[in-house]
Amino acid sequence: MSMPPSTEHARSAGTAAPAAAVPSVELRRITKRFGSVVACDDVSLSVRPGEIHGLLGQNGAGKSTLMKILTGLVVPDSGEIMMAGRHVEVNDPQTATALGIAMVHQHFSLVGRMRVWENAVLGELGRVDRDHARRVVNEVGERYGLAVNPDAYVDDLSTGERQRVELIKCLRRRPGLLILDEPTSVLTLAESRELFSVLRRVTTDENTTVILISHKLDEILHATDRVTIMRGGAVVARRDTAGTDARDLARAMVGREPATWTAASAVGSMDALVQGGRAATEGDVRLRLTDVRATARDGRPLLSGLSLHVRAGEILGIAGVEGNGQAALGDLLSSLLDLDGGTVEVGGSAVPTGEPGAMHRAGVGVVPEDRHASGCVLDMSVAENLVLTDLDQVSGSVLVSPRKLRERAARLIEEFDIAVPSPDTPMRLLSGGNQQKVVLARELAARPTVLVAAQPTRGLDVGATEYMTERIHQAARDGIAVLLISTELEEILTLAHRVAVIHRGAIVGEMTRADVDLERLGLMMGGRAA
Amino acid sequence: MDSVELILASAVRLAVPLAFAALGEWIAERAGTLNISVEGMMLGGAFTAVAGAGLTGSASAGLLFGVAAGLLVAFVHACFSHRLSVNTYVVGLTLNVLVLGLTSFLLLKTESRQVDKLTIPLLSDIPVIGPALFDQRWPAYLLAALVPAAWWLVRRSRWGLEARAAGENPQSADVTGIDVNKRRRQALMLCGALAGLGGAYLAVAEVGTFNQNMTAGRGYMVIAAVIFGGWTLRGTLAGVLVFGAADAMRLALPALGYTLNPQFLVASPYILALIAMTFFATTRRGPAALGRPFVRGIT
């Protein structure tokens, strides 16, 4: 029972797209399992030549896996791929390239310590011709308005520029199909708009087909011709973009009527967030950073004179494009980073930086950006993970008390509603949402006066996102000073009382939630004073 | 003046076997393998070269046997660390111990055979640097071709671009359509051939016979040279020369009448490497994925 292409077309008749008889790409009944998890369940997708096709879904809906199948990075268990009406086997990335499929990955596939032109020719065959490669980078850059210096090292470029390189790398091969995976997550508002106009040019001028993967409703509505919506590994709806709206899409994507602002945050619709600012409370300053400076090992500046303060009961949102010092800020408050200058004060007294455990002892709890790298130990049990930062609670100077360990774990599992068969279950077996709950539970159980939440909902589904959002709010109501570091503007607007913008390792502007003006915020995030 | 000339000549002579191996190690490391077994490759090369020379009666043919032995060690290492993804240090150490044991066990008495000296007329008469550069055993002059070839291969060729990508960011390289582990295996094989040649040179060009554990840590010195050189070819060769010079001093100073603690001089290359690392640790970085196995699909 495959989805017959004719039905597809009948349903979407009336769009501006040319009425092509043969779809450019067609995926038929694709299924892929990873162990017991079904990433793609009988998925069919049909994309017309020259259209921008949106693939909408929450994190974990199977969008990325589907596209990895199309680019040969993942081989499906069953199903068929058709290109221009012919059956094709895509078993490795080389084949995909040969078929004219190019993909801009969410985490760029660039080699940082190579030059732009070297990256542009990476993965091709034949002799390396430096001058030719440089020329091509410039030509493609000019044609699409993606100017970048071919001799620059990728490491020295901003994330926006890196994406240009990634696009140039794809476009120079004149692909028939261009896939972009969450391309705007690292871009400012202005850069996103620029990207969409490039995509439009690519489709109209060269009849390239574009698939845009996103979990943000706004950009799907803004940039696509048609949209396919996935949930839980299956296609749940197909729409013409012109004939739908944010509410309709959100319902299809979440599977129920989304609650007001929490879901708006998860699905990336900013309209719902523009009104409604909550006033900040006037508590004592709990966390104060004064002119902090730090450099990376290779001499690049990480933080350059950053100052901020957070009051008790307040949520300060740090907005900014990824790679502008957010990671360093999180590391600093986890005692992972030593400073070249400046001070960190918690509750009015200075805390030494870079000294293991000092921040934690001073009352700073951290939900780190990458929970797998620094939030938890995947091969230890849930109970053990729950006490990692707070061993005094369950042990004397030598021995850990298994009884206390279990009791404490049981209490926290109940309090934080963590879905886990037993406290002894290895962390690795938990879903992302539950892993994040464990991290949050552990940090809050230590009764911090300051909570740092870095990208707290990254990679979580809507339910878990709602939970985290509510918990962070609760923390602030309980009088904790919350520093929310996020690259998702929606998340900041949902939660923060006050918004500060980070750019190149410093705070470049600040406004209260009630005064937020998206245009101005966007300019600040792009580094232009406003 | 004479003693300077003497020490310099001896420094270059001692640096030549290191230089062969260092070229290989540099290539392997740029592709992401911190190849510990370079010691075993050299020792195996030295042993096999002497055996091969005895077998064929030609010291030059012995060099080819040495290359073959290096390739064999490299092949085993490559299969373990870039097919089975076994920790590369464990594989390397195992191979080193294995080669040391095997060559000690099979230790054979052969008559001394050495390849010929090739003294370049006129040039070798240049004061100070003449004897160092133009009065060596003939295989040493191979370096004049191998060094630029290695540089071109890594820095300019398609293969080198892909190998460097494999060493810097294997995930990205994979996504781009490069077979990361294949490139690493190939780089390791090149390293095996060159390190085998270096070991063979030590045996049939410099010494003339095989002694138990005759490389005596020269492989580790090669690894130190690559680090000393900050993973650049120029720096690596400079490192090799510095270590060669330290070795030459060890031999020359007592002969010249200076009394210096010989143990200290034996240790001096490593002390130099440590000092170098102290200074370069913060400014120079090796390939980002150096020593980390690559397994597809982990994101």
Side-chain angles (χ1 to χ4, degrees):
Chain A
M1 271 296 283
S2 70
M3 172 66 62
S6 52
T7 327
E8 257 296 286
H9 288 153
R11 188 183 302 179
S12 49
T15 42
V22 185
S24 161
V25 191
E26 206 185 344
L27 295 165
R28 289 187 182 165
R29 312 207 57 183
I30 298 279
T31 297
K32 175 70 193 177
R33 287 185 179 79
F34 294 105
S36 61
V37 182
V38 186
C40 291
D41 184 11
D42 198 16
V43 175
S44 297
L45 175 71
S46 166
V47 186
R48 291 185 200 140
E51 75 169 342
I52 300 184
H53 193 101
L55 193 55
L56 178 70
Q58 301 173 47
N59 290 307
K63 301 167 297 192
S64 291
T65 307
L66 193 64
M67 290 304 114
K68 279 181 181 164
I69 288 170
L70 196 46
T71 49
L73 288 166
V74 170
V75 179
D77 299 333
S78 66
E80 192 185 11
I81 303 173
M82 311 280 284
M83 288 201 69
R86 255 177 313 160
H87 170 86
V88 290
E89 293 283 340
V90 190
N91 292 325
D92 52 54
Q94 288 94 325
T95 316
T97 308
L99 288 167
I101 302 171
M103 178 156 172
V104 175
H105 292 264
Q106 191 173 6
H107 302 287
F108 299 146
S109 64
L110 301 175
V111 180
R113 281 164 72 204
M114 284 190 178
R115 295 180 193 279
V116 168
W117 71 263
E118 286 182 308
N119 270 288
V121 297
L122 200 62
E124 291 178 11
L125 302 172
R127 208 166 64 85
V128 179
D129 183 340
R130 176 169 37 166
D131 295 326
H132 179 250
R134 280 186 185 139
R135 223 168 27 243
V136 167
V137 169
N138 283 329
E139 274 171 20
V140 176
E142 236 162 76
R143 183 149 23 106
Y144 299 105
L146 300 163
V148 61
N149 173 12
D151 287 317
Y153 280 100
V154 168
D155 263 347
D156 298 334
L157 301 179
S158 72
T159 41
E161 286 172 314
R162 281 181 211 195
Q163 187 165 58
R164 287 185 198 169
V165 178
E166 190 85 14
L167 273 170
I168 288 172
K169 188 173 156 182
C170 290
L171 290 174
R172 68 158 300 210
R173 293 171 204 181
R174 298 196 167 260
L177 173 66
L178 179 64
I179 305 167
L180 296 104
D181 190 0
E182 304 278 0
T184 60
S185 60
V186 293
L187 301 183
T188 63
L189 259 69
E191 282 173 327
S192 301
R193 274 179 215 150
E194 227 167 85
L195 170 72
F196 293 136
S197 75
V198 171
L199 292 184
R200 191 47 79 185
R201 214 171 322 155
V202 172
T203 52
T204 51
D205 294 0
E206 319 198 349
N207 207 30
T208 304
T209 307
V210 174
I211 297 179
L212 177 69
I213 304 177
S214 181
H215 70 282
K216 295 184 181 173
L217 298 174
D218 282 354
E219 61 190 51
I220 290 286
L221 285 170
H222 174 75
T224 66
D225 299 316
R226 291 195 305 153
V227 52
T228 297
I229 301 136
M230 289 184 73
R231 179 173 7 115
V235 171
V236 290
R238 297 183 168 85
R239 299 276 191 277
D240 284 334
T241 309
T244 187
D245 58 29
R247 192 152 202 90
D248 178 38
L249 289 178
R251 210 179 301 123
M253 176 169 149
V254 183
R256 59 185 161 91
E257 198 68 31
T260 52
W261 44 268
T262 45
S265 158
V267 301
S269 173
M270 260 180 294
D271 293 345
L273 302 169
V274 175
Q275 341 76 354
R278 291 163 302 282
T281 46
E282 283 295 314
D284 301 333
V285 173
R286 284 282 172 76
L287 174 71
R288 188 187 288 279
L289 272 58
T290 314
D291 195 31
V292 297
R293 293 162 190 283
T295 39
R297 273 187 54 145
D298 58 4
R300 266 177 304 159
L302 291 173
L303 298 172
S304 20
L306 182 143
S307 300
L308 60 82
H309 68 273
V310 193
R311 291 173 186 281
E314 179 192 43
I315 302 176
L316 173 65
I318 303 290
V321 177
E322 194 163 327
N324 274 294
Q326 292 96 328
L329 186 56
D331 284 354
L332 172 66
L333 294 169
S334 315
S335 295
L336 291 171
L337 183 72
D338 205 358
L339 289 182
D340 298 338
T343 55
V344 179
E345 288 167 66
V346 177
S349 50
V351 180
T353 56
E355 183 185 300
M359 290 293 170
H360 186 257
R361 280 193 298 277
V364 181
V366 181
V367 177
E369 184 178 327
D370 185 342
R371 59 181 165 270
H372 289 172
S374 51
C376 62
V377 184
L378 286 174
D379 288 312
M380 282 165 62
S381 74
V382 170
E384 286 167 326
N385 270 288
L386 279 168
V387 298
L388 269 183
T389 54
D390 220 7
L391 279 170
D392 288 346
Q393 299 266 333
V394 295
S395 73
S397 55
V398 182
L399 295 175
V400 174
S401 155
R403 189 179 52 81
K404 281 188 193 162
L405 186 74
R406 291 191 65 109
E407 278 174 10
R408 187 181 139 96
R411 185 162 47 81
L412 289 175
I413 285 171
E414 201 196 318
E415 186 185 336
F416 285 84
D417 197 18
I418 303 167
V420 56
S422 125
D424 298 323
T425 308
M427 195 74 169
R428 189 178 288 286
L429 300 181
L430 268 59
S431 71
N434 280 307
Q435 288 176 348
Q436 193 73 322
K437 281 184 189 176
V438 170
V439 176
L440 184 74
R442 181 185 67 211
E443 296 303 321
L444 287 178
R447 310 232 161 275
T449 54
V450 177
L451 179 71
V452 180
Q455 318 287 2
T457 62
R458 181 174 280 183
L460 303 187
D461 60 27
V462 167
T465 300
E466 283 179 352
Y467 182 90
M468 287 302 287
T469 309
E470 185 45 44
R471 272 289 174 178
I472 289 169
H473 241 282
Q474 181 62 43
R477 280 200 296 272
D478 293 345
I480 297 174
V482 179
L483 182 67
L484 172 72
I485 307 171
S486 178
T487 49
E488 302 275 341
L489 203 46
E490 300 83 2
E491 185 167 57
I492 301 249
L493 295 181
T494 305
L495 277 167
H497 300 119
R498 197 152 56 87
V499 182
V501 178
I502 191 169
H503 180 75
R504 303 220 164 153
I507 299 295
V508 292
E510 206 189 285
M511 54 186 89
T512 61
R513 177 63 186 82
D515 300 337
V516 163
D517 165 358
L518 284 182
E519 206 61 38
R520 203 172 139 230
L521 207 55
L523 283 173
M524 282 178 172
M525 286 166 69
R528 271 159 287 185
Chain B
M1 204 58 192
D2 254 8
S3 61
V4 172
E5 197 174 272
L6 207 71
I7 291 176
L8 197 62
S10 148
V12 172
R13 184 172 58 79
L14 291 163
V16 169
L18 297 182
F20 282 117
L23 276 184
E25 182 69 19
W26 175 66
I27 295 171
E29 293 204 15
R30 288 308 293 250
T33 315
L34 212 169
N35 179 30
I36 303 280
S37 71
V38 65
E39 170 80 8
M41 290 169 180
M42 288 183 82
L43 187 61
F47 174 84
T48 321
V50 169
L55 206 68
T56 58
S58 152
S60 303
L63 290 172
L64 290 178
F65 279 82
V67 170
L71 281 172
L72 182 67
V73 176
F75 178 75
V76 175
H77 190 147
C79 285
F80 272 104
S81 60
H82 300 314
R83 279 190 197 276
L84 302 175
S85 303
V86 179
N87 184 314
T88 180
Y89 305 103
V90 175
V91 177
L93 283 174
T94 310
L95 281 172
N96 286 350
V97 174
L98 178 71
V99 172
L100 177 59
L102 267 180
T103 53
S104 306
F105 173 67
L106 296 171
L107 196 62
L108 26 94
K109 272 271 165 277
T110 52
E111 51 188 301
S112 171
R113 269 200 189 77
Q114 249 179 313
V115 294
D116 300 325
K117 247 192 178 184
L118 181 61
T119 307
I120 298 175
L122 298 178
L123 289 176
S124 58
D125 296 333
I126 300 172
V128 189
I129 58 160
L133 295 182
F134 303 109
D135 187 19
Q136 297 287 348
R137 305 275 160 188
W138 72 262
Y141 300 108
L142 288 177
L143 279 173
L146 286 175
V147 169
W151 182 86
W152 183 86
L153 180 70
V154 171
R155 301 295 317 184
R156 284 286 174 269
S157 77
R158 159 85 40 208
W159 184 88
L161 189 65
E162 299 188 357
R164 278 187 287 137
E168 285 292 342
N169 194 339
Q171 259 75 28
S172 296
D174 184 49
V175 164
T176 315
I178 296 166
D179 190 334
V180 170
N181 281 322
K182 187 170 166 191
R183 290 284 169 277
R184 288 182 169 185
R185 286 197 300 270
Q186 289 165 337
L188 203 49
M189 292 302 275
L190 278 174
C191 178
L194 286 162
L197 182 59
Y201 183 90
L202 184 71
V204 297
E206 216 180 296
V207 179
T209 64
F210 181 80
N211 308 314
Q212 187 179 358
N213 191 20
M214 80 178 296
T215 50
R218 280 182 176 76
Y220 302 120
M221 232 188 270
V222 163
I223 297 169
V226 176
I227 298 168
F228 179 94
W231 290 271
T232 64
L233 183 55
R234 231 180 311 167
T236 301
L237 291 175
V240 160
L241 260 182
V242 168
F243 294 165
D247 218 10
M249 296 291 248
R250 173 172 66 90
L251 298 173
L253 288 181
L256 294 169
Y258 297 98
T259 48
L260 255 165
N261 186 334
Q263 275 83 16
F264 175 76
L265 281 167
V266 174
S268 60
Y270 301 100
I271 293 169
L272 277 174
L274 279 179
I275 293 170
M277 280 186 257
T278 321
F279 283 113
F280 299 150
T282 50
T283 53
R284 293 187 185 170
R285 288 184 307 160
L290 185 61
R292 267 187 264 144
F294 173 69
V295 185
R296 282 196 76 176
I298 290 180
T299 45

